[in-house]
């Protein structure tokens, strides 16, 4: 039985989130001809493009690619024998496709956002997935990503357009190995050209917050279904399911009103704004940052109310907004990092940090009230995980953690103390595994 509790929906304790609702599987409808309003590439790719992409059979398992569109979107993918640069490249079309959202097919780091004008790919993005694997998204009308950005599967990259050598709006997609086009796979299934499919790019995204106000952080996930929901785990209370937001939101949490309990929120990149949800269901919007920035939250001044901020993956600069609306910049991090925040020294103010997927290492920046800055590194997690931070034991000191998309398990690391010098790791299964 579901109960309404001050604008929140409750679920029985111990029930993990279910399979995404409203998401159909691949339609696998074989078409006898090209789709309505199908458009293609024109001309050959010049030397300025990312390199040759000859036809080649698929080698190795590769990343867990999903379709390059938000959960539930339905598209037709096709090619032809003389498709430049390879018949393995896919042109995606649907009715009213101009300006539609394009998202990352697999996790990785953005290595190129290039505008060739009216030539070749036009505006295109390349995401490096590691191990020589990459994906290319071409003919975009706008960039929503930036070079150096670590993207998750489903992160917005740009908008469908008709730039470059294109005869009309469509998305040109290539899955590559060492810059050579491969046969496309989505959801571990070989793609059949000329079929119409619904995107299953619906993976959970980890989130952390003190949902019940007991001083201890608990885990959660955002489910990027056609109607997104947040699933909040409360060990001593009923778990919560909260419908909220858009499929391309970046989920966030914070104590927006200072009552000691965390609420959910999101950064909405297209609006360059934060949307903060209150417990009565009302929302507050705060404009901050650029479309490609990553949102962060924390109590920058120690007043027990959560403030907002953004991190620019290209410049590696945090912009922190105070309650008075004034901002300050702090340069920190490296290309391909993901930002994290937490009170690393327990002084009541949130500090900054980053996590490197390549080395599975947190780099934490602590600033004392005197202004002195210290930096330390903590190896934790594994490549492919997503970083989280919170106070797992309620001692007022920020702890580290990761969430593994492959098995939907949080690994939560308790910060060592003089009374507990050994590292203790707690594990929580919450969410739905991807793939």
């Amino acid at each position: 039985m579901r109960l309404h509790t001050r604008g929140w929906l409750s679920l029985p304790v111990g029930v993990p989130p279910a399979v995404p609702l409203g998401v159909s599987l691949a339609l696998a409808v074989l078409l006898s001809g090209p789709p309505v309003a199908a458009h293609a590439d024109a001309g050959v790719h010049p030397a300025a493009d990312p390199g040759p992409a000859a036809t080649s059979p698929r080698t190795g398992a590769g990343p867990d690619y999903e379709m390059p569109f938000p959960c539930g979107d339905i598209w037709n993918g096709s090619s032809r024998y003389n498709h430049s640069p390879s018949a393995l490249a896919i042109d995606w079309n649907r009715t009213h496709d101009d300006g539609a959202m394009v998202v990352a097919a697999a996790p990785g780091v953005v290595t190129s956002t290039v505008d060739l004008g009216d030539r070749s790919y036009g505006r295109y993005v390349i995401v490096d997935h590691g191990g020589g694997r990459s994906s290319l998204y071409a003919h975009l009308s706008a960039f929503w990503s930036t070079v150096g950005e670590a993207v998750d599967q489903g992160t917005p990259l740009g908008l469908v357009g008709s730039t470059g050598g294109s005869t009309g709006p469509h998305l040109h997609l290539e899955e590559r190995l060492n810059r050579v086009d491969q046969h496309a796979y989505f959801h571990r299934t070989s793609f059949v050209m000329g079929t119409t499919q619904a995107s299953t790019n619906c993976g959970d995204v980890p989130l952390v917050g003190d949902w019940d106000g007991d001083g201890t952080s608990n885990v959660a996930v955002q489910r990027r279904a056609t109607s997104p929901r947040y699933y909040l785990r409360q060990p001593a209370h009923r778990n919560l399911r909260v419908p909220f937001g858009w499929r391309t939101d970046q989920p966030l949490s914070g104590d927006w009103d200072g009552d000691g309990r965390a609420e959910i929120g999101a950064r909405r990149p297209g609006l360059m704004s934060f949307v903060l949800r209150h417990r009565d269901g009302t929302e507050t919007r705060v404009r901050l940052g650029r479309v490609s920035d990553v949102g962060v939250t924390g109590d920058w001044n120690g007043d027990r109310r959560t403030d907002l901020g953004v991190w620019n993956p290209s410049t590696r600069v945090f912009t922190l907004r105070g309650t008075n609306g004034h901002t300050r910049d702090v340069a920190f991090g490296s290309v391909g990092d993901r930002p994290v925040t937490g009170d690393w020294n327990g002084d009541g103010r949130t500090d900054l940090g980053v996590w490197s997927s390549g080395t599975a290492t947190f780099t934490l920046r602590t600033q004392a009230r005197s202004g002195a800055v210290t930096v330390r590194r903590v190896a934790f997690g594994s490549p492919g995980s997503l970083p989280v931070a919170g106070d797992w034991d309620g001692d007022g000191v920020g702890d580290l953690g990761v969430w593994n998309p492959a098995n939907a398990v949080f690994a939560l690391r308790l910060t060592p103390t003089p009374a507990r010098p050994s590292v203790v790791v707690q594990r929580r299964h919450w969410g739905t595994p991807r793939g």
Side-chain angles (χ1 to χ4, degrees):
M1 178 178 181
R2 295 179 183 139
L3 304 176
H4 287 277
T5 308
R6 300 182 65 184
W8 300 65
L9 293 176
S10 298
L11 288 179
V13 176
V15 177
V19 175
L21 300 175
V23 181
S24 58
L25 296 178
L27 300 180
V29 178
L30 182 62
L31 303 183
S32 59
V36 175
H39 298 291
D41 310 322
V44 296
H45 296 274
D49 76 13
T55 299
S56 173
R58 182 176 175 85
T59 305
D64 176 22
Y65 288 109
E66 296 286 356
M67 283 174 57
F69 304 106
C71 181
D73 279 6
I74 298 175
W75 290 78
N76 176 273
S78 61
S79 189
R80 57 194 184 280
Y81 76 92
N82 61 344
H83 194 184
S84 176
S86 165
L88 296 178
I90 303 173
D91 283 345
W92 293 98
N93 282 108
R94 72 173 188 185
T95 304
H96 307 303
D97 49 12
D98 196 12
M101 180 63 62
V102 175
V103 302
V109 177
V110 176
T111 55
S112 298
T113 56
V114 178
D115 186 352
L116 296 177
D118 59 0
R119 300 177 298 123
S120 181
Y121 292 123
R123 293 192 181 101
Y124 69 91
V125 172
I126 294 178
V127 178
D128 180 7
H129 307 294
R133 298 280 182 179
S134 63
S135 53
L136 180 147
Y137 313 76
H139 307 307
L140 304 177
S141 63
F143 295 127
W144 279 35
S145 53
T146 185
V147 171
E149 179 181 0
V151 296
D152 189 19
Q153 190 175 65
T155 299
L157 298 178
L159 304 178
V160 171
S162 187
T163 57
S166 171
T167 62
H170 69 287
L171 174 67
H172 174 103
L173 175 74
E174 300 174 28
E175 292 181 11
R176 293 172 153 197
L177 175 60
N178 299 324
R179 300 170 70 177
V180 176
D181 277 17
Q182 306 293 296
H183 184 89
Y185 278 65
F186 302 110
H187 207 66
R188 305 291 187 189
T189 302
S190 176
F191 180 70
V192 178
M193 293 292 184
T195 60
T196 299
Q197 298 192 4
S199 173
T200 53
N201 202 329
C202 311
D204 288 355
V205 181
L207 186 65
V208 169
D210 182 2
W211 314 122
D212 53 12
D214 67 354
T216 302
S217 300
N218 294 309
V219 300
V221 293
Q222 175 215 40
R223 176 145 306 144
R224 288 187 296 220
T226 51
S227 298
R229 288 172 170 81
Y230 289 59
Y231 293 84
L232 315 182
R233 184 179 187 272
Q234 297 186 125
H237 303 275
R238 297 181 70 85
N239 300 320
L240 301 177
R241 182 184 67 180
V242 188
F244 176 70
W246 296 356
R247 293 171 296 172
T248 52
D249 283 348
Q250 177 201 347
L252 298 165
S253 68
D255 185 357
W256 316 131
D257 55 11
D259 69 351
R261 294 184 298 174
E263 291 92 33
I264 61 174
R267 185 163 193 278
R268 197 155 289 167
L271 301 180
M272 294 175 283
S273 298
F274 289 80
V275 182
L276 313 180
R277 185 188 188 279
H278 305 285
R279 289 185 178 271
D280 61 3
T282 61
E283 298 177 358
T284 300
R285 292 192 180 186
V286 180
R287 188 176 176 87
L288 181 66
R290 292 170 284 190
V291 68
S292 58
D293 286 346
V294 180
V296 295
T297 61
D299 183 0
W300 316 133
N301 59 2
D303 67 355
R304 298 184 180 275
R305 295 171 67 97
T306 300
D307 305 307
L308 307 175
V310 293
W311 187 70
N312 186 294
S314 183
T315 63
R316 281 84 69 194
V317 171
F318 286 87
T319 299
L320 308 180
R321 180 185 185 274
T323 53
N324 58 5
H326 296 166
T327 62
R328 62 186 177 95
D329 292 344
V330 180
F332 192 68
S334 302
V335 170
D337 284 347
R338 296 179 182 273
V340 293
T341 60
D343 185 358
W344 315 132
N345 60 0
D347 68 353
R349 299 180 304 160
T350 303
D351 301 300
L352 307 176
V354 292
W355 188 73
S356 169
S357 176
T359 61
T361 300
F362 288 86
T363 303
L364 309 179
R365 178 189 187 274
T366 304
Q367 184 169 1
R369 294 189 180 274
S370 64
V373 173
T374 58
V375 175
R376 64 187 176 96
R377 291 176 173 81
V378 179
F380 189 68
S382 59
S385 297
L386 296 173
V388 295
D391 184 358
W392 316 134
D393 54 6
D395 65 355
V397 177
D399 303 305
L400 305 175
V402 294
W403 184 75
N404 187 342
N407 58 14
V409 171
F410 285 86
L412 310 177
R413 178 187 185 273
L414 300 183
T415 302
T417 65
R420 188 187 60 230
S422 300
V423 172
V424 175
V425 178
Q426 302 174 345
R427 286 179 168 79
R428 305 279 187 273
H429 183 279
W430 194 247
T432 299
R434 298 183 189 176

